[in-house]
Amino acid sequence: MNGAIVELRQLRYFVVLAEELHFRRAAERLFISTPTLSQQIKVLEREMGGALLNRDPRVELTAAGEVLLRTGREVLRSVDAAVRETRRASAAGAPVLRFGLLNGVPPWLPSRIEELLPAGTRTVLTGGTTADQVRLLDDDEVDLALVRTPVALPDRFAQQPIARDELGILMSSTHPFANSAEIDPNDLTDQELILFARESAPGLHDELLHTLHARGARVRLSDSAMGHAQMLAVLPSRPATIGLSTSRPATHPGLAWRPLRGGPIAVTYAAIWRVPTRNPAVRALVEVLAASPEWQAPADQI
């Protein structure tokens, strides 16, 4: 393998594929196409001088692949640690908060948090789902993150509820329920409900379904799973499908939003961080959050 040139990108691709043992799932995790992933793995195998995977009848690692997975993980951990330490050194003397920005968070919430940081603090944002933010925090890639609860956390994490959202039913403007002022949960029985993928926030996913069922809404979970932005694009053309949402997208073309009779379904946002924390910006922010009541959305952003 003398003279072999292996890109870190290719190594990351291989490690994810080795963990998934499935090209499509690995490509989705990496946000690339399956053909692109397949091509890069073939390039990597040429550089390595042999097969890293057996592809038929299913994906399995070869002996060489097992070695590369073990050593590749070590290399990537070392590189990530070097990047983190270098960034810290370059920011020495100026407070920095590496902030895990939750996908789909209310627009006013990150701004409110930044207002509470010590003067001069620079924020570095990393987006992701609740599951992503827990992993990022555990890997020391962020100092503080936002998640939706309930969420299972290790003992080395602390959390503080900080805000709530209230959910109703979002649907196509041609859905029969769009003619109602509010929706009785019992009428939702057998309706197809689109939710986010369970692995992105297992606790919240299960809690939402449990709450709906407890209120008489025996919905049918759709085979399609997607984030909120994708749901907004899909629902206008799916008049027999519903979603859960705040009222913020109510004016979106082709959509209608209606409250649930008996009150909304509440979703709580929490800040999470490692304990103890070495970051002075996190310590200062946590003190303020602990002394504050849960925030409500500004009147013009409900």
Side-chain angles (χ1 to χ4, degrees):
M1 172 174 141
N2 288 340
I5 301 175
V6 177
E7 297 181 10
L8 286 174
R9 171 173 54 94
Q10 293 169 338
L11 192 55
R12 290 188 191 278
Y13 288 177
F14 172 75
V15 168
V16 171
L17 178 57
E19 291 172 348
E20 294 290 343
L21 294 178
H22 192 284
F23 274 88
R24 179 181 57 79
R25 289 198 300 268
E28 288 174 352
R29 273 183 60 184
L30 292 162
F31 299 102
I32 61 175
S33 68
T34 302
T36 296
L37 176 60
S38 179
Q39 179 187 30
Q40 290 299 314
I41 295 302
K42 289 177 181 177
V43 171
L44 182 60
E45 287 179 318
R46 285 198 297 270
E47 292 291 347
M48 293 292 103
L52 301 171
L53 303 164
N54 292 319
R55 291 163 171 80
D56 293 315
R58 61 181 182 273
V59 178
E60 293 178 333
L61 295 179
T62 63
E66 294 281 0
V67 172
L68 185 60
L69 174 60
R70 183 179 68 255
T71 57
R73 280 173 168 163
E74 294 173 358
V75 168
L76 292 175
R77 279 195 293 267
S78 297
V79 169
D80 290 342
V83 170
R84 287 195 299 269
E85 292 301 319
T86 302
R87 285 175 174 170
R88 285 174 181 163
S90 65
V96 176
L97 176 70
R98 299 172 302 163
F99 183 28
L101 183 60
L102 181 64
N103 291 351
V105 73
W108 57 270
L109 189 50
S111 299
R112 183 76 62 86
I113 288 176
E114 289 188 330
E115 290 171 359
L116 298 176
L117 291 171
T121 300
R122 183 171 66 91
T123 55
V124 178
L125 304 178
T126 302
T129 66
T130 289
D132 292 333
Q133 298 303 342
V134 172
R135 177 186 58 78
L136 288 166
L137 188 62
D138 204 27
D139 290 345
D140 193 26
E141 295 182 34
V142 297
D143 303 305
L144 179 136
L146 294 179
V147 296
R148 293 180 182 88
T149 66
V151 57
L153 298 173
D155 293 340
R156 57 187 173 276
F157 287 5
Q159 65 173 302
Q160 175 66 45
I162 58 173
R164 286 161 55 91
D165 252 343
E166 296 183 343
L167 307 183
I169 303 301
L170 190 67
M171 70 205 92
S172 166
S173 57
T174 61
H175 194 291
F177 290 164
N179 297 318
S180 304
E182 62 178 6
I183 298 175
D184 188 320
N186 291 288
D187 292 338
L188 295 176
T189 295
D190 292 330
Q191 289 288 313
E192 181 182 358
L193 172 70
I194 291 180
L195 273 185
F196 50 87
R198 184 179 182 275
E199 57 265 26
S200 66
L204 179 61
H205 189 280
D206 295 348
E207 178 74 12
L208 291 174
L209 290 177
H210 174 77
T211 300
L212 285 168
H213 289 178
R215 294 178 61 174
R218 299 285 175 174
V219 295
R220 177 168 49 88
L221 188 61
S222 175
D223 291 333
S224 301
M226 62 192 71
H228 194 260
Q230 291 80 13
M231 183 179 70
L232 297 185
V234 166
L235 281 179
S237 62
R238 303 277 287 271
T241 306
I242 61 172
L244 292 174
S245 175
T246 67
S247 60
R248 288 191 290 275
T251 59
H252 193 284
L255 292 177
W257 181 90
R258 297 294 180 266
L260 279 169
R261 184 174 301 160
I265 295 175
V267 172
T268 299
Y269 295 92
I272 61 173
W273 64 94
R274 291 179 304 279
V275 289
T277 178
R278 297 173 296 175
N279 188 307
V282 174
R283 289 197 296 267
L285 179 61
V286 165
E287 289 182 6
V288 176
L289 294 178
S292 303
E294 283 189 359
W295 299 330
Q296 300 295 324
D300 61 346
Q301 296 192 40
I302 294 177

